[in-house]
Amino acid sequence: MLRKYLFLLLFVLVLVACSDDDASSKPSDGEETETETSSEPADPFGAYEETLTIAIGQEVDPSDTSLQDGDTPLDNQYTRHVKENLNIEVEHAFTASPSNYDQKVSLAIASNDLPDAMVVGPVELRQLVEADQIADLTEIYENYASPAIKEIIDSSDGVALENVTFDGKMMAIPNSQASADGVHNLWIRKDWLDNLGLEPPKTIEEFKEVARAFVEQDPDGNGQDDTIGLAGPDTSNKLYANFLESTNNLYGFDGIFSALHAYPGYWLEGDDGQPVYGSILPETKEALSVLRDMYSEGLIDPEMGVREDSGESVISGNTGMFFGPFWMPYGPITDAVTNNPEANWQSYALPLDANGEYTPHLSTTTTQFVVVRKDYEHPEAAMKILNNLLANESEFDPSIGGPGYYPLRLVYAPADEMEVTTVALREVLAGTKEPEDFYDMPAYKLLKSDVDTIHEVKLEPYDNMDIEYWDPEANLGQWTRAYSALVGTAPLVDNEINGVMSLIYSQTETMEDRWVNLKKLEDETFLKIIMGTEPLDSFDQFVENWKSQGGEQITEEVAEVVNQ
């Protein structure tokens, strides 16, 4: 035991010696270097004297065409920045599309052939810990995490660190993201509404009528029967967000479910005060019935579930509505506006429930984690790469390469980052505050750039957010950010959000063996019900099967966790 602690002490001292405050003490790639003990703290941003190589698993979206000419997923503004600032050369151990990434990770775990580092979800994190394949990052985080990252993670009230702590050890680096990522607003082509003399739909019935008008009344005026009322999930996305993947679901039906007080995929408090799984409740069956009718009437994209990228129908100008988070200008909307400057995509906290309230499901602030292969010699390199992103994110231009190309990218933001940004931009535009008033807010990493550049892209009148009062060409990257705040986030600032949290956002013991099959049963059954290939009443058989195949035991385990 003594040798163990002596080794740990030596290991920590070597890490401390990696600081670039003393260039002679920096380790070369793949070598152990004897150094004198230094009292100086480790440098979270210190570059390596000798080039260090890190092989990562990387999700690469083939539909993301934002890279500038000549750049690749491995050679772009982000990887070059990491090389220039840290002297770290990024390599790809594997790449995978969003729909295949989790499978690639699972194969790497099963074969015990991990990259040096990669991003994983909560399910894979637990598997890696149990297989003893990843490094303990407790000391790495303590010594190398930047003050800004620590401040943001601390703002999660312990949730972020709790999700990566196993037997007192920090086994991954957690993200901590804006709460706005978990709310899926309704995005609508407002120019289509105006062309047809319609208003944004407040109720489910009004929503159906707008979708019908978009399909039947030629809202784009091209004389062709080629428009889609509501986009549906593609092969990379889900019917709705769930407790393990509670953020950033694209083109799902989250807003329709929540307007009917259905929260499939979430753990809720039942009438008896005990946990119940939202997917087996009558409200979910009612919502499936509504979606089934909409699909049969042609109001939903007929290619839902088989379309590889629903964003293509947004970019091409064929789709009139979809559900997604505030940041959709970082997705298809920028390309849609580039193709058609009159495509007036606006975001709404709609539809409302029967009481006129907006009742979306809400997310946890921590959903993704960076893990490091157990025997990788420089685990601090992953932490430095994340520090570098947070400190320099405002320097990057998403119009020449989307942020997903940054290696090991995790989102770091205070829970209220987007709401604070929206209010600040409004005050600067209104002239009630100056940009300098927001300079001393380092945790809000992009705020200074936001307030400094807003007048480049926003035209008068400053309180009208229609697309004609913007100038994306002046600074496309900054327009993307500003539009995400002043259009995408505005509904969360201007409306009362009566959101619903899941009771838990992590797995229980039985889920480790049963959840994959239970989730597959749920996904396949619900999709077939919506598309009409199975009767609505097959929902009842699903509930029985779910309970008998492990659901009841899992529910008991969730109750134990909640009632602790």
CSV table of all heavy atoms in Angstrom, one decimal, residues 233 238-240 253 257 262-266 277-289 291-292 295 304 518-543 546:
chain,number,residue,atom,x,y,z
A,233,PRO,N,-38.1,12.9,-37.0
A,233,PRO,CA,-36.7,12.5,-36.7
A,233,PRO,C,-36.1,11.7,-37.8
A,233,PRO,O,-36.8,10.9,-38.5
A,233,PRO,CB,-36.9,11.7,-35.4
A,233,PRO,CG,-38.3,11.2,-35.5
A,233,PRO,CD,-39.1,12.3,-36.1
A,238,LYS,N,-34.1,11.1,-32.4
A,238,LYS,CA,-35.0,10.3,-31.6
A,238,LYS,C,-36.4,10.9,-31.7
A,238,LYS,O,-36.6,12.1,-32.0
A,238,LYS,CB,-34.6,10.3,-30.2
A,238,LYS,CG,-33.2,9.7,-29.9
A,238,LYS,CD,-32.8,9.8,-28.5
A,238,LYS,CE,-32.5,11.2,-28.0
A,238,LYS,NZ,-31.4,11.9,-28.7
A,239,LEU,N,-37.4,10.1,-31.4
A,239,LEU,CA,-38.8,10.6,-31.3
A,239,LEU,C,-38.9,11.7,-30.3
A,239,LEU,O,-39.7,12.6,-30.4
A,239,LEU,CB,-39.8,9.5,-31.1
A,239,LEU,CG,-40.0,8.5,-32.2
A,239,LEU,CD1,-40.8,7.3,-31.7
A,239,LEU,CD2,-40.7,9.1,-33.4
A,240,TYR,N,-38.1,11.6,-29.2
A,240,TYR,CA,-38.1,12.5,-28.1
A,240,TYR,C,-36.9,12.3,-27.3
A,240,TYR,O,-36.2,11.3,-27.3
A,240,TYR,CB,-39.4,12.3,-27.2
A,240,TYR,CG,-39.6,10.8,-27.0
A,240,TYR,CD1,-39.0,10.1,-26.0
A,240,TYR,CD2,-40.6,10.2,-27.8
A,240,TYR,CE1,-39.2,8.8,-25.8
A,240,TYR,CE2,-40.8,8.8,-27.6
A,240,TYR,CZ,-40.1,8.1,-26.6
A,240,TYR,OH,-40.4,6.8,-26.4
A,253,PHE,N,-40.5,14.9,-31.7
A,253,PHE,CA,-41.9,15.5,-31.4
A,253,PHE,C,-42.0,15.9,-30.0
A,253,PHE,O,-43.1,15.8,-29.4
A,253,PHE,CB,-42.9,14.4,-31.8
A,253,PHE,CG,-42.8,13.9,-33.2
A,253,PHE,CD1,-42.7,12.6,-33.5
A,253,PHE,CD2,-42.9,14.8,-34.2
A,253,PHE,CE1,-42.6,12.1,-34.8
A,253,PHE,CE2,-42.8,14.4,-35.6
A,253,PHE,CZ,-42.7,13.1,-35.8
A,257,PHE,N,-45.6,16.0,-27.5
A,257,PHE,CA,-45.7,15.2,-26.3
A,257,PHE,C,-45.9,16.1,-25.0
A,257,PHE,O,-46.9,15.9,-24.3
A,257,PHE,CB,-44.5,14.4,-26.1
A,257,PHE,CG,-44.4,13.1,-26.9
A,257,PHE,CD1,-43.6,13.0,-28.0
A,257,PHE,CD2,-45.3,12.0,-26.6
A,257,PHE,CE1,-43.6,11.9,-28.8
A,257,PHE,CE2,-45.2,10.9,-27.4
A,257,PHE,CZ,-44.4,10.8,-28.5
A,262,ALA,N,-47.4,14.6,-21.8
A,262,ALA,CA,-46.8,13.2,-21.9
A,262,ALA,C,-45.3,13.5,-21.9
A,262,ALA,O,-44.7,14.3,-22.6
A,262,ALA,CB,-47.2,12.6,-23.2
A,263,TYR,N,-44.6,12.7,-21.1
A,263,TYR,CA,-43.1,12.8,-21.0
A,263,TYR,C,-42.5,11.4,-21.1
A,263,TYR,O,-41.9,10.9,-20.2
A,263,TYR,CB,-42.8,13.5,-19.7
A,263,TYR,CG,-43.4,14.9,-19.6
A,263,TYR,CD1,-44.6,15.1,-18.9
A,263,TYR,CD2,-42.8,16.0,-20.2
A,263,TYR,CE1,-45.2,16.3,-18.8
A,263,TYR,CE2,-43.3,17.2,-20.1
A,263,TYR,CZ,-44.5,17.4,-19.4
A,263,TYR,OH,-45.1,18.6,-19.4
A,264,PRO,N,-42.6,10.8,-22.3
A,264,PRO,CA,-42.0,9.5,-22.5
A,264,PRO,C,-40.4,9.7,-22.4
A,264,PRO,O,-39.9,10.7,-22.7
A,264,PRO,CB,-42.4,9.2,-23.9
A,264,PRO,CG,-42.6,10.5,-24.6
A,264,PRO,CD,-43.2,11.3,-23.5
A,265,GLY,N,-39.8,8.6,-21.8
A,265,GLY,CA,-38.4,8.6,-21.7
A,265,GLY,C,-38.0,9.3,-20.4
A,265,GLY,O,-36.8,9.3,-20.1
A,266,TYR,N,-38.9,9.9,-19.6
A,266,TYR,CA,-38.6,10.5,-18.3
A,266,TYR,C,-39.1,9.7,-17.2
A,266,TYR,O,-40.2,9.1,-17.3
A,266,TYR,CB,-39.1,12.0,-18.3
A,266,TYR,CG,-38.1,13.0,-18.8
A,266,TYR,CD1,-37.3,12.8,-19.9
A,266,TYR,CD2,-38.0,14.2,-18.2
A,266,TYR,CE1,-36.4,13.7,-20.4
A,266,TYR,CE2,-37.1,15.2,-18.6
A,266,TYR,CZ,-36.3,14.9,-19.7
A,266,TYR,OH,-35.4,15.9,-20.2
A,277,TYR,N,-42.4,5.4,-15.0
A,277,TYR,CA,-41.7,5.7,-16.3
A,277,TYR,C,-42.8,6.3,-17.2
A,277,TYR,O,-43.8,5.8,-17.5
A,277,TYR,CB,-41.2,4.4,-16.9
A,277,TYR,CG,-40.3,4.7,-18.1
A,277,TYR,CD1,-39.3,5.6,-18.1
A,277,TYR,CD2,-40.5,3.9,-19.3
A,277,TYR,CE1,-38.5,5.8,-19.2
A,277,TYR,CE2,-39.7,4.1,-20.4
A,277,TYR,CZ,-38.7,5.0,-20.4
A,277,TYR,OH,-38.0,5.2,-21.5
A,278,GLY,N,-42.5,7.5,-17.7
A,278,GLY,CA,-43.4,8.3,-18.5
A,278,GLY,C,-43.9,7.6,-19.8
A,278,GLY,O,-45.0,7.8,-20.2
A,279,SER,N,-43.1,6.7,-20.3
A,279,SER,CA,-43.4,6.1,-21.6
A,279,SER,C,-44.6,5.1,-21.4
A,279,SER,O,-45.2,4.6,-22.5
A,279,SER,CB,-42.2,5.3,-22.2
A,279,SER,OG,-41.2,6.3,-22.5
A,280,ILE,N,-44.9,4.7,-20.2
A,280,ILE,CA,-46.0,3.7,-20.1
A,280,ILE,C,-47.3,4.3,-19.6
A,280,ILE,O,-48.3,3.6,-19.3
A,280,ILE,CB,-45.5,2.5,-19.1
A,280,ILE,CG1,-45.4,3.1,-17.7
A,280,ILE,CG2,-44.3,1.9,-19.6
A,280,ILE,CD1,-45.1,2.0,-16.6
A,281,LEU,N,-47.4,5.6,-19.5
A,281,LEU,CA,-48.5,6.3,-19.0
A,281,LEU,C,-49.6,6.6,-20.1
A,281,LEU,O,-49.2,6.7,-21.3
A,281,LEU,CB,-48.1,7.6,-18.3
A,281,LEU,CG,-47.3,7.5,-17.1
A,281,LEU,CD1,-46.9,8.8,-16.5
A,281,LEU,CD2,-48.0,6.6,-16.0
A,282,PRO,N,-50.9,6.7,-19.7
A,282,PRO,CA,-51.9,7.0,-20.7
A,282,PRO,C,-51.7,8.3,-21.5
A,282,PRO,O,-52.1,8.3,-22.7
A,282,PRO,CB,-53.2,7.1,-19.8
A,282,PRO,CG,-52.9,6.4,-18.6
A,282,PRO,CD,-51.4,6.6,-18.3
A,283,GLU,N,-51.0,9.3,-20.9
A,283,GLU,CA,-50.8,10.5,-21.7
A,283,GLU,C,-49.9,10.3,-22.9
A,283,GLU,O,-50.1,10.9,-23.9
A,283,GLU,CB,-50.1,11.5,-20.8
A,283,GLU,CG,-51.0,12.1,-19.7
A,283,GLU,CD,-51.1,11.2,-18.4
A,283,GLU,OE1,-50.5,10.1,-18.4
A,283,GLU,OE2,-51.7,11.7,-17.5
A,284,THR,N,-49.0,9.3,-22.8
A,284,THR,CA,-48.1,9.0,-23.9
A,284,THR,C,-48.9,8.3,-25.0
A,284,THR,O,-48.7,8.6,-26.2
A,284,THR,CB,-47.0,8.1,-23.4
A,284,THR,OG1,-46.1,8.9,-22.6
A,284,THR,CG2,-46.1,7.6,-24.6
A,285,LYS,N,-49.8,7.4,-24.6
A,285,LYS,CA,-50.7,6.8,-25.6
A,285,LYS,C,-51.5,7.8,-26.4
A,285,LYS,O,-51.7,7.8,-27.6
A,285,LYS,CB,-51.6,5.8,-25.0
A,285,LYS,CG,-52.5,5.0,-26.0
A,285,LYS,CD,-53.3,3.9,-25.3
A,285,LYS,CE,-54.1,3.1,-26.3
A,285,LYS,NZ,-55.0,2.1,-25.6
A,286,GLU,N,-52.1,8.8,-25.6
A,286,GLU,CA,-52.8,9.9,-26.3
A,286,GLU,C,-52.0,10.7,-27.3
A,286,GLU,O,-52.4,11.0,-28.4
A,286,GLU,CB,-53.4,10.8,-25.2
A,286,GLU,CG,-54.2,12.0,-25.8
A,286,GLU,CD,-54.6,13.0,-24.8
A,286,GLU,OE1,-54.2,12.9,-23.6
A,286,GLU,OE2,-55.2,14.1,-25.2
A,287,ALA,N,-50.8,11.0,-26.9
A,287,ALA,CA,-49.9,11.7,-27.8
A,287,ALA,C,-49.5,10.9,-29.0
A,287,ALA,O,-49.5,11.5,-30.1
A,287,ALA,CB,-48.6,12.1,-27.0
A,288,LEU,N,-49.3,9.6,-28.8
A,288,LEU,CA,-49.1,8.8,-30.0
A,288,LEU,C,-50.3,8.8,-30.9
A,288,LEU,O,-50.1,8.7,-32.2
A,288,LEU,CB,-48.7,7.4,-29.5
A,288,LEU,CG,-47.4,7.2,-28.8
A,288,LEU,CD1,-47.3,5.8,-28.3
A,288,LEU,CD2,-46.2,7.4,-29.8
A,289,SER,N,-51.5,8.8,-30.4
A,289,SER,CA,-52.7,8.8,-31.2
A,289,SER,C,-52.7,10.1,-32.0
A,289,SER,O,-53.1,10.1,-33.2
A,289,SER,CB,-53.9,8.8,-30.3
A,289,SER,OG,-55.1,8.9,-31.1
A,291,LEU,N,-50.1,12.0,-33.0
A,291,LEU,CA,-49.1,11.9,-34.0
A,291,LEU,C,-49.4,10.9,-35.1
A,291,LEU,O,-49.1,11.1,-36.3
A,291,LEU,CB,-47.8,11.5,-33.3
A,291,LEU,CG,-47.1,12.5,-32.5
A,291,LEU,CD1,-46.0,11.9,-31.6
A,291,LEU,CD2,-46.5,13.7,-33.3
A,292,ARG,N,-50.1,9.8,-34.7
A,292,ARG,CA,-50.5,8.8,-35.7
A,292,ARG,C,-51.5,9.5,-36.7
A,292,ARG,O,-51.4,9.3,-37.9
A,292,ARG,CB,-51.2,7.7,-34.9
A,292,ARG,CG,-51.8,6.5,-35.8
A,292,ARG,CD,-52.5,5.6,-34.9
A,292,ARG,NE,-53.2,4.5,-35.6
A,292,ARG,CZ,-52.6,3.3,-35.9
A,292,ARG,NH1,-51.3,3.1,-35.6
A,292,ARG,NH2,-53.2,2.4,-36.6
A,295,TYR,N,-49.7,11.9,-39.0
A,295,TYR,CA,-48.9,11.2,-40.0
A,295,TYR,C,-49.8,10.7,-41.1
A,295,TYR,O,-49.5,10.8,-42.3
A,295,TYR,CB,-48.1,10.1,-39.4
A,295,TYR,CG,-47.1,9.4,-40.4
A,295,TYR,CD1,-45.9,9.9,-40.7
A,295,TYR,CD2,-47.5,8.2,-41.0
A,295,TYR,CE1,-45.1,9.3,-41.6
A,295,TYR,CE2,-46.7,7.6,-41.9
A,295,TYR,CZ,-45.5,8.1,-42.2
A,295,TYR,OH,-44.7,7.5,-43.1
A,304,MET,N,-40.0,10.4,-42.5
A,304,MET,CA,-39.5,10.4,-41.1
A,304,MET,C,-39.0,8.9,-40.8
A,304,MET,O,-39.6,7.9,-41.2
A,304,MET,CB,-40.5,10.8,-40.1
A,304,MET,CG,-41.8,9.9,-40.0
A,304,MET,SD,-42.7,10.2,-38.5
A,304,MET,CE,-41.8,9.3,-37.3
A,518,LEU,N,-35.0,-2.8,-23.7
A,518,LEU,CA,-36.2,-2.1,-23.4
A,518,LEU,C,-36.4,-0.8,-24.2
A,518,LEU,O,-37.5,-0.5,-24.7
A,518,LEU,CB,-36.2,-1.7,-21.9
A,518,LEU,CG,-36.5,-2.9,-20.9
A,518,LEU,CD1,-36.3,-2.4,-19.5
A,518,LEU,CD2,-37.8,-3.5,-21.1
A,519,LYS,N,-35.3,-0.1,-24.4
A,519,LYS,CA,-35.4,1.1,-25.2
A,519,LYS,C,-35.7,0.8,-26.7
A,519,LYS,O,-36.4,1.5,-27.4
A,519,LYS,CB,-34.1,1.9,-25.1
A,519,LYS,CG,-34.2,3.3,-25.7
A,519,LYS,CD,-35.1,4.2,-24.9
A,519,LYS,CE,-35.1,5.6,-25.3
A,519,LYS,NZ,-35.5,5.8,-26.7
A,520,LYS,N,-35.1,-0.3,-27.2
A,520,LYS,CA,-35.3,-0.7,-28.5
A,520,LYS,C,-36.8,-1.1,-28.7
A,520,LYS,O,-37.4,-0.7,-29.7
A,520,LYS,CB,-34.4,-1.9,-28.9
A,520,LYS,CG,-34.6,-2.4,-30.3
A,520,LYS,CD,-33.7,-3.6,-30.6
A,520,LYS,CE,-33.9,-4.1,-32.1
A,520,LYS,NZ,-33.0,-5.3,-32.3
A,521,LEU,N,-37.3,-1.8,-27.7
A,521,LEU,CA,-38.8,-2.2,-27.8
A,521,LEU,C,-39.6,-1.0,-27.8
A,521,LEU,O,-40.6,-0.9,-28.6
A,521,LEU,CB,-39.1,-3.0,-26.5
A,521,LEU,CG,-40.6,-3.3,-26.3
A,521,LEU,CD1,-41.1,-4.3,-27.4
A,521,LEU,CD2,-40.8,-4.0,-24.9
A,522,GLU,N,-39.3,0.0,-27.0
A,522,GLU,CA,-40.1,1.3,-26.9
A,522,GLU,C,-40.0,2.0,-28.3
A,522,GLU,O,-41.0,2.4,-28.8
A,522,GLU,CB,-39.5,2.1,-25.8
A,522,GLU,CG,-40.2,3.5,-25.6
A,522,GLU,CD,-39.6,4.3,-24.5
A,522,GLU,OE1,-39.1,3.6,-23.5
A,522,GLU,OE2,-39.6,5.5,-24.5
A,523,ASP,N,-38.8,2.2,-28.8
A,523,ASP,CA,-38.6,3.0,-30.0
A,523,ASP,C,-39.3,2.4,-31.2
A,523,ASP,O,-40.0,3.1,-32.0
A,523,ASP,CB,-37.1,3.1,-30.3
A,523,ASP,CG,-36.4,4.0,-29.3
A,523,ASP,OD1,-37.0,4.7,-28.5
A,523,ASP,OD2,-35.1,3.9,-29.2
A,524,GLU,N,-39.2,1.1,-31.3
A,524,GLU,CA,-39.8,0.4,-32.5
A,524,GLU,C,-41.3,0.4,-32.4
A,524,GLU,O,-42.0,0.6,-33.4
A,524,GLU,CB,-39.2,-1.0,-32.6
A,524,GLU,CG,-37.8,-1.1,-32.9
A,524,GLU,CD,-37.2,-2.5,-33.0
A,524,GLU,OE1,-38.0,-3.5,-32.6
A,524,GLU,OE2,-36.1,-2.7,-33.5
A,525,THR,N,-41.8,0.1,-31.2
A,525,THR,CA,-43.3,0.1,-31.0
A,525,THR,C,-43.9,1.5,-31.3
A,525,THR,O,-44.9,1.6,-32.0
A,525,THR,CB,-43.6,-0.3,-29.6
A,525,THR,OG1,-43.1,-1.6,-29.3
A,525,THR,CG2,-45.1,-0.4,-29.4
A,526,PHE,N,-43.3,2.5,-30.7
A,526,PHE,CA,-43.8,3.9,-30.9
A,526,PHE,C,-43.8,4.3,-32.3
A,526,PHE,O,-44.7,5.0,-32.9
A,526,PHE,CB,-43.1,4.9,-30.0
A,526,PHE,CG,-43.5,4.7,-28.5
A,526,PHE,CD1,-44.3,3.6,-28.1
A,526,PHE,CD2,-43.1,5.6,-27.6
A,526,PHE,CE1,-44.6,3.4,-26.7
A,526,PHE,CE2,-43.4,5.4,-26.2
A,526,PHE,CZ,-44.1,4.3,-25.8
A,527,LEU,N,-42.6,4.1,-33.0
A,527,LEU,CA,-42.5,4.5,-34.4
A,527,LEU,C,-43.5,3.7,-35.3
A,527,LEU,O,-44.2,4.4,-36.1
A,527,LEU,CB,-41.1,4.2,-34.9
A,527,LEU,CG,-40.8,4.6,-36.3
A,527,LEU,CD1,-40.9,6.1,-36.5
A,527,LEU,CD2,-39.4,4.2,-36.8
A,528,LYS,N,-43.8,2.5,-35.0
A,528,LYS,CA,-44.7,1.7,-35.8
A,528,LYS,C,-46.2,2.2,-35.5
A,528,LYS,O,-47.0,2.3,-36.5
A,528,LYS,CB,-44.6,0.2,-35.5
A,528,LYS,CG,-43.4,-0.4,-36.0
A,528,LYS,CD,-43.3,-1.9,-35.6
A,528,LYS,CE,-42.0,-2.6,-36.1
A,528,LYS,NZ,-41.9,-4.0,-35.6
A,529,ILE,N,-46.4,2.6,-34.3
A,529,ILE,CA,-47.8,3.2,-34.0
A,529,ILE,C,-48.0,4.5,-34.8
A,529,ILE,O,-49.0,4.7,-35.4
A,529,ILE,CB,-47.9,3.4,-32.5
A,529,ILE,CG1,-48.1,2.0,-31.8
A,529,ILE,CG2,-49.1,4.3,-32.2
A,529,ILE,CD1,-48.1,2.2,-30.3
A,530,ILE,N,-47.0,5.3,-34.7
A,530,ILE,CA,-47.1,6.6,-35.4
A,530,ILE,C,-47.3,6.4,-36.9
A,530,ILE,O,-48.1,7.1,-37.5
A,530,ILE,CB,-45.9,7.5,-35.1
A,530,ILE,CG1,-45.9,7.9,-33.6
A,530,ILE,CG2,-45.9,8.8,-36.0
A,530,ILE,CD1,-44.6,8.6,-33.2
A,531,MET,N,-46.5,5.5,-37.5
A,531,MET,CA,-46.5,5.3,-38.9
A,531,MET,C,-47.7,4.4,-39.4
A,531,MET,O,-47.9,4.2,-40.6
A,531,MET,CB,-45.2,4.8,-39.4
A,531,MET,CG,-44.0,5.7,-39.1
A,531,MET,SD,-42.4,5.1,-39.7
A,531,MET,CE,-42.7,5.5,-41.5
A,532,GLY,N,-48.5,3.9,-38.4
A,532,GLY,CA,-49.6,3.2,-38.8
A,532,GLY,C,-49.4,1.7,-39.1
A,532,GLY,O,-50.4,1.0,-39.6
A,533,THR,N,-48.2,1.2,-38.9
A,533,THR,CA,-48.0,-0.2,-39.2
A,533,THR,C,-48.4,-1.1,-38.1
A,533,THR,O,-48.4,-2.4,-38.2
A,533,THR,CB,-46.5,-0.5,-39.6
A,533,THR,OG1,-45.7,0.0,-38.5
A,533,THR,CG2,-46.1,0.3,-40.8
A,534,GLU,N,-48.7,-0.6,-36.9
A,534,GLU,CA,-49.2,-1.3,-35.8
A,534,GLU,C,-50.4,-0.5,-35.2
A,534,GLU,O,-50.4,0.7,-35.3
A,534,GLU,CB,-48.2,-1.6,-34.7
A,534,GLU,CG,-47.2,-2.7,-35.0
A,534,GLU,CD,-46.4,-3.2,-33.8
A,534,GLU,OE1,-46.8,-2.8,-32.7
A,534,GLU,OE2,-45.5,-4.0,-34.0
A,535,PRO,N,-51.4,-1.2,-34.7
A,535,PRO,CA,-52.6,-0.5,-34.1
A,535,PRO,C,-52.2,0.3,-32.9
A,535,PRO,O,-51.2,0.0,-32.2
A,535,PRO,CB,-53.6,-1.6,-33.8
A,535,PRO,CG,-52.7,-2.8,-33.6
A,535,PRO,CD,-51.6,-2.6,-34.6
A,536,LEU,N,-53.0,1.3,-32.6
A,536,LEU,CA,-52.7,2.1,-31.4
A,536,LEU,C,-52.7,1.3,-30.1
A,536,LEU,O,-51.9,1.5,-29.2
A,536,LEU,CB,-53.7,3.3,-31.3
A,536,LEU,CG,-53.6,4.2,-30.1
A,536,LEU,CD1,-52.3,4.9,-30.1
A,536,LEU,CD2,-54.8,5.2,-30.0
A,537,ASP,N,-53.6,0.3,-30.1
A,537,ASP,CA,-53.7,-0.5,-28.9
A,537,ASP,C,-52.5,-1.4,-28.6
A,537,ASP,O,-52.4,-2.1,-27.6
A,537,ASP,CB,-54.9,-1.4,-28.9
A,537,ASP,CG,-56.2,-0.5,-28.7
A,537,ASP,OD1,-56.1,0.6,-28.1
A,537,ASP,OD2,-57.3,-1.0,-29.0
A,538,SER,N,-51.6,-1.5,-29.6
A,538,SER,CA,-50.3,-2.2,-29.3
A,538,SER,C,-49.5,-1.6,-28.2
A,538,SER,O,-48.6,-2.2,-27.6
A,538,SER,CB,-49.5,-2.4,-30.6
A,538,SER,OG,-49.0,-1.1,-31.0
A,539,PHE,N,-49.9,-0.3,-27.9
A,539,PHE,CA,-49.2,0.4,-26.8
A,539,PHE,C,-49.5,-0.4,-25.5
A,539,PHE,O,-48.6,-0.5,-24.7
A,539,PHE,CB,-49.8,1.8,-26.7
A,539,PHE,CG,-49.3,2.5,-25.5
A,539,PHE,CD1,-48.1,3.3,-25.5
A,539,PHE,CD2,-50.1,2.5,-24.3
A,539,PHE,CE1,-47.7,4.0,-24.4
A,539,PHE,CE2,-49.6,3.2,-23.2
A,539,PHE,CZ,-48.4,3.9,-23.2
A,540,ASP,N,-50.7,-0.9,-25.3
A,540,ASP,CA,-51.0,-1.7,-24.1
A,540,ASP,C,-50.1,-2.9,-23.9
A,540,ASP,O,-49.7,-3.2,-22.8
A,540,ASP,CB,-52.5,-2.0,-24.1
A,540,ASP,CG,-53.4,-0.8,-24.2
A,540,ASP,OD1,-53.0,0.3,-23.6
A,540,ASP,OD2,-54.4,-0.9,-24.9
A,541,GLN,N,-49.9,-3.6,-25.0
A,541,GLN,CA,-49.0,-4.8,-25.0
A,541,GLN,C,-47.6,-4.4,-24.7
A,541,GLN,O,-46.9,-5.1,-24.0
A,541,GLN,CB,-49.1,-5.6,-26.3
A,541,GLN,CG,-48.4,-6.9,-26.3
A,541,GLN,CD,-48.9,-7.8,-25.2
A,541,GLN,OE1,-50.1,-8.1,-25.1
A,541,GLN,NE2,-48.0,-8.3,-24.3
A,542,PHE,N,-47.2,-3.2,-25.3
A,542,PHE,CA,-45.9,-2.7,-25.0
A,542,PHE,C,-45.7,-2.5,-23.5
A,542,PHE,O,-44.6,-2.9,-22.9
A,542,PHE,CB,-45.6,-1.4,-25.7
A,542,PHE,CG,-44.6,-0.5,-25.1
A,542,PHE,CD1,-43.2,-0.8,-25.2
A,542,PHE,CD2,-45.0,0.6,-24.3
A,542,PHE,CE1,-42.3,0.0,-24.5
A,542,PHE,CE2,-44.0,1.4,-23.7
A,542,PHE,CZ,-42.7,1.1,-23.8
A,543,VAL,N,-46.7,-1.9,-22.8
A,543,VAL,CA,-46.6,-1.7,-21.4
A,543,VAL,C,-46.4,-3.0,-20.6
A,543,VAL,O,-45.5,-3.0,-19.7
A,543,VAL,CB,-47.8,-0.9,-20.9
A,543,VAL,CG1,-47.8,-0.8,-19.4
A,543,VAL,CG2,-47.9,0.5,-21.5
A,546,TRP,N,-42.9,-4.3,-21.3
A,546,TRP,CA,-41.9,-3.5,-20.7
A,546,TRP,C,-41.8,-3.8,-19.2
A,546,TRP,O,-40.7,-4.0,-18.7
A,546,TRP,CB,-42.2,-2.0,-20.8
A,546,TRP,CG,-41.2,-1.1,-20.3
A,546,TRP,CD1,-40.1,-0.5,-21.0
A,546,TRP,CD2,-41.1,-0.5,-19.0
A,546,TRP,NE1,-39.4,0.3,-20.2
A,546,TRP,CE2,-40.0,0.3,-18.9
A,546,TRP,CE3,-41.9,-0.7,-17.9
A,546,TRP,CZ2,-39.6,1.0,-17.8
A,546,TRP,CZ3,-41.6,0.0,-16.7
A,546,TRP,CH2,-40.4,0.9,-16.7
